[in-house]
Every structure is written in C-alpha cells, then in structure tokens.
Amino acid sequence: MSYQVLARKHRPKNFSEVVGQEHVLNSLIHGLDQNRLHHAYLFTGTRGVGKTSLARLLAKSVNCLKGVSSKPCGNCDHCIAIEQGRFVDLIEIDAASRTKVEDTRDILDNVQYMPSQGKYKIYLIDEVHMLSQHSFNALLKTLEEPPEHVKFLLATTDPHKLPITILSRCLQFNLKHITELQIKRKLEDILSYEQIPFETDALSVIAHAADGSMRDALSLTDQSIAFSKGQIVTADVKAMLGIVDTQMLDTLLLLILEENTTALIEYSNDIIQAGKSPESVLNAISECFYYASLTNFKMLNLENLPCTTEVLTAITQNYSLDQLQLYYQLSIKAKEDIHLAPTAQCGLGMALLRLCAFSLDLNTPFQENTAYSRSQVQKKNEELDELKAPLTHSKKESYSPITSIPQETSHIDNLTQTQEKTLHYPTDTPSPLQEIKEINLVDILSQHSSPQVTAYEKHLEKIDWYQISQSLGLKGTVLQVVLNCSLFSIDNNIYTLQAADSIKALITPNSIQKIEDALSKRQGHKIILEFTHLNIQNKTTRPISTSQQKIKELETNNFSVQQNQENIADLAKVTSFETSSHNTPAQINQQQKEKRIDQIYQSLKQNADIQKLESIGFEVLKENIKLTTLP
C-alpha cells in the first residue's frame, strides 16, 4: 500500500477531532442535534484551518444510515464512502477550474433529481469566490430556494469577493487561525500514534512556522521526518526551515547594540552562508523588538522568546519605547525590499546597517561632556562583553561572535574627539555663556538708545542656537519644538525660548522636561527652560519681569522711578516677543536653502544655452528648482 501523508491520514473523522474552531462546532452540533438544518453553509478562513474537513463532516452527519446526528457512526457504508471520497451524492466541485457559467448550469440541471443513496444530495463548492459573475447570477435562485433534498456547502479563503446576494443566502462561519499550543498538542498525539520519536522543542518550531494552519504543520512534520531519517530533531528542523537559532540571534543583537557595523556585516554574511534566509533573520529581530516592548510595558511571563532573557534585558535597558517602535517598523519593512536586492547578503546587510544608522547620530556630533560620554560608553561595552562571554566560548565555531573593535577606534570616541574641537574654548578666552553672566544690566539699558545692536543681543548672537539644537540628540516632536524656537534670553541657568505659532501645541510638560534634560546634560549643570508665550502676565513676558527685579535692586543706587520705568520700556522693546529678530534653526535651514536656490537660479540665467532658450520663448522659473539635500 502506498504511503499516505499525515494531512490526509489524520483528517478529522468526527467533530471531536477538529482542532480549535469551537465557535463553529457549537453551532453545527446544536443544529444537527435539534434537526435545524440550513440549506446553504459558507465556511471562510485561511488555508489549512478545516473548511473542507468541516464540510465533509457535515455531509457525513446528515447522510449517516443511523440518522441525522452530530456523532456519525463512521462504520456504515455511507460514512466509509464519504471518508474515501466515493460517495455518489457528495458532489465536490473545484470552482477554480470550473468558473464558466456553462459549468454552473450543468450542475444545476441535476439539482432537481433525488439523491441516489443518501438522504441529501450535497454540493460542496470549494474556492467559490473564483466563480464568474454570470455563474453567481445563475446560482442565485437555486441557492435561495433549493429542493428539500439538496444542501449547498461553500468554502472560500476570500469571502470579500463574493457578491452580497450570495452571502445573504448562507449561514456564514468564519474559521480562525489555530493557536501554536493547539497545533503542538495535536502533533504530539499524531506522532505518538505513529510511534515516531520527536523533541518537544522541535514541535514548537513547527507550530510557529505553520502560522495557524494545521495542514501546513502536518506537511512540515512529514518533511521533518524525511529530513531527520524517521525522527524529529530540533536542530534538523531549524536547519530545514532556515531559522536563525538563539545563539546566532544573540550574537547579532549584541553587535547591533554595540553599533559595531564592521563585525555586523561580516557576521550577517556568515549567517547567509550558513543557509539562513534574510526573511527569517529579520523576522527573528522584529520578534525580539516586540518582546522587548512588552517587557517595557511591564508584561511578564513571556514564552517562546527567540533570544535569551539576558539579551532581551540588554535591549530593554538600551532602547527607549519609541526607538523599539522605530526598529520594529524598520525590520518588518525591510522584508519587502529583500527580493529587490542584488544578493541576499546585500539585502540583509543594508537592513542591519539601517538599524545602526538610526541609532548612531551620524550627521550631528555629540555635544556632551567628553568624560561623561566615555564613561557611559565604557559601562555599556562592559555590560555587553559580559553577555558575549558565554557566546565566545561556544563549541560551535560557525556561531562564535565576532570580537568588537577596540574602543579607541570606535565611532563613539571619534564623535567625542570632534566634540572637544567644537566645544572647548581657550583658557584665556571666556565662553559666550560666561560672558553673558558678566554683562551689567545698566550697560544694556544705556546702549539701547543708540541705533547699534545692544551688547545683550551681540552675546546672544554669539551663541549658535542652530548648532546647539542639532547636538542635543532629540527626536520626534521634541526635536521639532527645538528646531522651531529661537533663543530669547538667558538669565543665569534659565533659558527662555521664543516658539513659532505652528508648534506651540507641541510644547507640553513632557517635551519641556526632555529638552531641559538634554540641555543640562550638554552644559554639565541644571538648566531651567521657559517659553515666552507660557509666561505672559498682563502682556509682560518673563524676561521683562526679571529685568524689573534687577532694576529694583539698582534703584537703591540713586536711580529714579521714572528713569527705571523708561529703561524697563526700552528693554521691553528689545525683548519684545513680537519684534524679536532671532531666527529658529528651521528658519535658518530654509534661508540657506533659498539662498542656494537663488545662486542656482542666477547661474542658470547667465548660462549661454539657457539664454538661447529664453530668446525663443522659454523661461526658467525659480519655484521649479527643488533641492533634496543642502550642499
């Protein structure tokens, strides 16, 4: 006797053997036991969840010689014939191959005749959504009022393609995905019955790869038995499916955490050469980011982790919630581009580099304290080295991690060296912030009457808020707030910013706290942040209020009240929210872009070829010049 595959051999013979789908089984069992049978049933769901099996069980239940029941005997001639696929009154039709209206009419011509053997004539139409529109129209009347001896059982994977007129004439049952636990338990029962040795972890891998389909799980089980010579071994199953094992994934994630791009690319090439598919690698990485997000949201008791708990903890500690969301999105989107890549190594390598590119702020150097950044990086590297230690001593050479590059040549140190060049001032020259603290308010008031720029404004201009905004390492809406603000005033450790109207709604206590933390970290001491539009009291901003307090202190030094009021008014003009001339970083970017467009436009106007074209009626329009990146 020829070999019969597990998916056919172990097809459910009664409703109790069906895996999952309790919501459908309850309706069918109660309807059969109470003899409340509908004339048309529609089973929908993805592949391998039991649509055809339930339809055949329903046909067996209504045609069993012992009567209509939810528990057919399985021993009578009708039950045996239905199981073997030779029952005359069960007409199975493949709608994918018989889509024409002529085929439907041939079927309907025989509906009026009584069944030959059973009590009911059953029409089982599989993939019914493949029928043509004319076929549906021909089926409508018969489907609505068929003879009493006829039952229609329809099955489809895409119910949205069915006309609403067909859906309204059927009882609809939507079959769900089967859970991994249910698939695993069913496989254990089948393999125990077949007396095939297996490893429990291997069945978990198969259940996960089946993606909710019992038929896929049984097919993979057949393949695993053949691959492992009559048994099911976890290592062989992972090799067969091209799944990245835990040790490989741990090493890969640690290299991503280290931002060691050189070693990362080399190791990704080793993974591809080991026969692992790029899709499986990206699936495993995205799963890790998913479980790390769950951990951040205090969801414990996680099962079937793709990586070790130590590496998952390291990811949780080093990446914030918004970073995990971004990296998860990058991982799953990268799978869409894999088939477009020249090679598998190229596609996977670029996907991994993209993760590092969003982690390393390559376009803006660190503006933090050098000693602070070095200590943080050193601490992080020490923690990752501890996690890498057991991987380094692994017996499997192909899975051994690649040692990270020395710290003195790492990207972090290169950035901190850049910081030393850009932030540190000579010892004999005070920094702009130090100079502002030494400015006397009387000097500011006395110089305001002249048409020249005040000393206060001169020193504010020395502070490059554009450079500061680019160095804070902020992201998302908080970055947009900083880019669309200008430095309004500095009073000791109080920074006052003037915000554009378009982003005032984004200024929340949370965003203010993040900006304060970033500024404090950059300056090395506590910074308090204020916004002009949040401190308006009686049309007077905080800088003016602060100036009033200082002038009251100067009043004791023979300043008259009238003179103080005039000085306050003058200072109000200087620091007025409406008349401030400071530009935001976003405006600076736009100005640089417009300046560059003007230069390009002028060069085009002077070009001889362009001038010839203009002489015959053509025109160069400045608004059509677009820049993708600034030079």
Side-chain angles (χ1 to χ4, degrees):
M1 183 177 181
S2 61
Y3 174 74
Q4 191 175 21
V5 298
L6 295 177
R8 294 185 59 188
K9 184 177 181 180
H10 293 276
R11 186 185 290 272
K13 295 180 174 58
N14 51 64
F15 288 113
S16 61
E17 295 182 3
V18 177
V19 180
Q21 318 303 344
E22 288 78 9
H23 63 295
V24 176
L25 294 177
N26 289 336
S27 299
L28 294 177
I29 291 173
H30 294 161
L32 289 168
D33 291 341
Q34 299 174 12
N35 200 19
R36 299 177 64 88
L37 301 178
H38 201 269
H39 59 268
Y41 294 84
L42 175 63
F43 299 98
T44 65
T46 58
R47 77 277 178 273
V49 294
K51 299 185 297 297
T52 305
S53 296
L54 283 176
R56 290 181 179 177
L57 287 175
L58 186 59
K60 186 192 295 186
S61 298
V62 299
N63 280 313
C64 180
L65 289 176
K66 293 187 177 181
V68 177
S69 171
S70 62
K71 298 178 180 179
C73 66
N75 299 320
C76 65
D77 293 339
H78 290 183
C79 291
I80 295 174
I82 291 175
E83 287 181 5
Q84 296 177 354
R86 54 180 178 82
F87 189 62
V88 177
D89 292 324
L90 176 59
I91 301 98
E92 295 193 24
I93 303 166
D94 180 18
S97 59
R98 304 186 66 178
T99 60
K100 296 181 180 179
V101 65
E102 292 81 5
D103 298 328
T104 304
R105 287 172 180 167
D106 292 341
I107 297 170
L108 298 179
D109 288 342
N110 298 321
V111 169
Q112 56 184 329
Y113 300 112
M114 294 294 294
S116 301
Q117 295 179 330
K119 184 177 180 180
Y120 293 99
K121 182 182 287 188
I122 309 296
Y123 286 91
L124 174 54
I125 306 177
D126 201 5
E127 299 300 333
V128 67
H129 67 274
M130 299 294 290
L131 291 178
S132 64
Q133 185 63 43
H134 295 292
S135 297
F136 282 126
N137 293 336
L139 188 63
L140 279 179
K141 189 61 179 177
T142 305
L143 191 63
E144 183 178 12
E145 297 179 356
E148 293 184 359
H149 59 271
V150 173
K151 302 294 180 186
F152 285 97
L153 307 180
L154 312 180
T156 178
T157 56
D158 197 351
H160 301 289
K161 293 183 179 180
L162 296 181
I164 189 63
T165 50
I166 296 292
L167 296 175
S168 64
R169 287 167 168 80
C170 303
L171 287 185
Q172 301 179 41
F173 297 99
N174 183 24
L175 278 67
K176 301 177 182 178
H177 276 67
I178 306 175
T179 64
E180 292 184 16
L181 181 60
Q182 291 172 333
I183 293 176
K184 181 181 176 181
R185 289 176 177 174
K186 185 65 175 179
L187 292 180
E188 289 175 350
D189 295 340
I190 292 175
L191 292 174
S192 299
Y193 176 83
E194 295 289 339
Q195 297 182 353
I196 297 174
F198 62 88
E199 293 181 359
T200 305
D201 292 340
L203 299 187
S204 299
V205 175
I206 293 176
H208 183 74
D211 193 22
S213 171
M214 193 68 222
R215 184 173 61 235
D216 287 6
L218 292 172
S219 299
L220 291 174
T221 303
D222 264 325
Q223 186 178 352
S224 301
I225 295 171
F227 188 85
S228 302
K229 299 179 181 180
Q231 58 183 351
I232 300 180
V233 183
T234 305
D236 292 342
V237 171
K238 289 184 176 181
M240 179 190 73
L241 298 177
I243 296 176
V244 181
D245 61 19
T246 302
Q247 188 176 4
M248 272 189 173
L249 186 59
D250 284 351
T251 304
L252 197 62
L253 290 172
L254 290 176
L255 291 176
I256 294 175
L257 283 171
E258 288 180 342
E259 299 166 353
N260 190 346
T261 54
T262 303
L264 186 63
I265 292 299
E266 292 178 0
Y267 196 72
S268 66
N269 293 337
D270 294 340
I271 291 177
I272 297 297
Q273 292 175 4
K276 313 301 181 184
S277 65
E279 290 83 0
S280 65
V281 177
L282 294 172
N283 281 336
I285 292 175
S286 59
E287 278 189 278
C288 291
F289 291 143
Y290 164 71
Y291 285 114
S293 298
L294 294 184
T295 305
N296 269 330
F297 281 107
K298 310 303 180 185
M299 297 183 184
L300 305 178
N301 300 326
L302 304 177
E303 298 180 355
N304 300 325
L305 293 176
C307 62
T308 59
T309 55
E310 292 81 8
V311 173
L312 188 68
T313 303
I315 295 174
T316 306
Q317 292 175 350
N318 286 278
Y319 292 149
S320 61
L321 285 173
D322 52 350
Q323 284 178 306
L324 290 173
Q325 294 289 333
L326 173 62
Y327 296 159
Y328 174 81
Q329 192 73 11
L330 292 174
S331 301
I332 61 175
K333 283 295 182 182
K335 293 191 297 182
E336 300 177 0
D337 301 332
I338 289 294
H339 69 284
L340 300 175
T343 61
Q345 289 91 337
C346 178
L348 178 60
M350 283 302 295
L352 297 176
L353 287 177
R354 192 176 299 135
L355 293 176
C356 292
F358 277 85
S359 180
L360 297 167
D361 213 354
L362 296 178
N363 293 326
T364 56
F366 279 111
Q367 301 291 334
E368 304 171 0
N369 181 270
T370 305
Y372 176 83
S373 62
R374 286 180 183 274
S375 62
Q376 291 295 101
V377 173
Q378 184 177 1
K379 180 180 178 182
K380 175 183 174 182
N381 288 340
E382 290 176 356
E383 293 175 352
L384 295 180
D385 288 340
E386 292 178 1
L387 292 175
K388 290 174 62 177
L391 298 176
T392 307
H393 297 87
S394 174
K395 295 181 180 180
K396 297 183 179 181
E397 296 180 357
S398 59
Y399 296 167
S400 61
I402 300 172
T403 307
S404 61
I405 58 177
Q407 185 177 352
E408 58 269 18
T409 59
S410 67
H411 184 77
I412 300 294
D413 282 346
N414 290 338
L415 293 179
T416 54
Q417 292 172 7
T418 305
Q419 174 225 349
E420 295 174 357
K421 297 178 181 178
T422 56
L423 278 188
H424 289 211
Y425 296 92
T427 54
D428 56 344
T429 304
S431 67
L433 292 178
Q434 292 173 341
E435 289 183 342
I436 287 181
K437 296 179 182 179
E438 299 173 358
I439 297 175
N440 193 317
L441 184 61
V442 179
D443 296 335
I444 299 176
L445 297 176
S446 61
Q447 294 177 8
H448 177 66
S449 57
S450 64
Q452 299 177 353
V453 181
T454 64
Y456 186 79
E457 289 183 325
K458 286 182 179 179
H459 286 281
L460 281 181
E461 290 175 357
K462 288 184 180 180
I463 301 175
D464 192 349
W465 179 248
Y466 174 81
Q467 183 182 7
I468 295 176
S469 64
Q470 302 295 316
S471 66
L472 296 178
L474 300 172
K475 296 181 180 180
T477 57
V478 183
L479 177 60
Q480 295 302 317
V481 170
V482 175
L483 292 179
N484 288 277
C485 290
S486 61
L487 186 59
F488 189 77
S489 66
I490 296 179
D491 183 7
N492 291 329
N493 293 331
I494 300 177
Y495 282 46
T496 304
L497 301 183
Q498 175 178 305
D501 293 337
S502 58
I503 55 96
K504 287 181 180 178
L506 303 178
I507 301 176
T508 61
N510 185 33
S511 62
I512 293 176
Q513 183 63 44
K514 289 183 178 180
I515 299 173
E516 284 183 347
D517 293 343
L519 282 171
S520 301
K521 191 175 181 181
R522 178 187 184 276
Q523 297 302 117
H525 57 270
K526 179 63 177 177
I527 298 296
I528 299 175
L529 189 67
E530 294 185 351
F531 288 85
T532 53
H533 70 286
L534 297 179
N535 297 297
I536 296 177
Q537 298 177 354
N538 299 326
K539 297 183 180 181
T540 305
T541 61
R542 177 180 175 86
I544 300 174
S545 177
T546 305
S547 302
Q548 288 175 343
Q549 295 176 1
K550 292 186 177 182
I551 292 178
K552 286 181 178 180
E553 296 176 359
L554 295 175
E555 189 174 355
T556 59
N557 297 326
N558 299 324
F559 274 86
S560 66
V561 175
Q562 181 179 1
Q563 185 178 2
N564 285 337
Q565 292 176 348
E566 293 175 356
N567 290 338
I568 291 174
D570 290 341
L571 183 60
K573 294 178 182 179
V574 177
T575 59
S576 173
F577 175 75
E578 291 80 10
T579 60
S580 177
S581 61
H582 300 296
N583 290 330
T584 66
Q587 292 172 336
I588 293 175
N589 280 333
Q590 183 63 26
Q591 291 172 359
Q592 293 176 350
K593 183 177 179 181
E594 292 175 355
K595 182 178 179 181
R596 181 59 178 162
I597 290 177
D598 288 337
Q599 295 174 351
I600 296 173
Y601 178 73
Q602 294 299 329
S603 63
L604 288 174
K605 294 288 288 184
Q606 297 175 2
N607 186 276
D609 294 333
I610 298 297
Q611 292 176 354
K612 290 179 181 180
L613 290 174
E614 289 181 340
S615 64
I616 59 176
F618 290 94
E619 182 180 1
V620 178
L621 299 178
K622 183 188 297 185
E623 55 269 20
N624 289 339
I625 301 176
K626 306 296 182 182
L627 294 180
T628 56
T629 57
L630 290 175

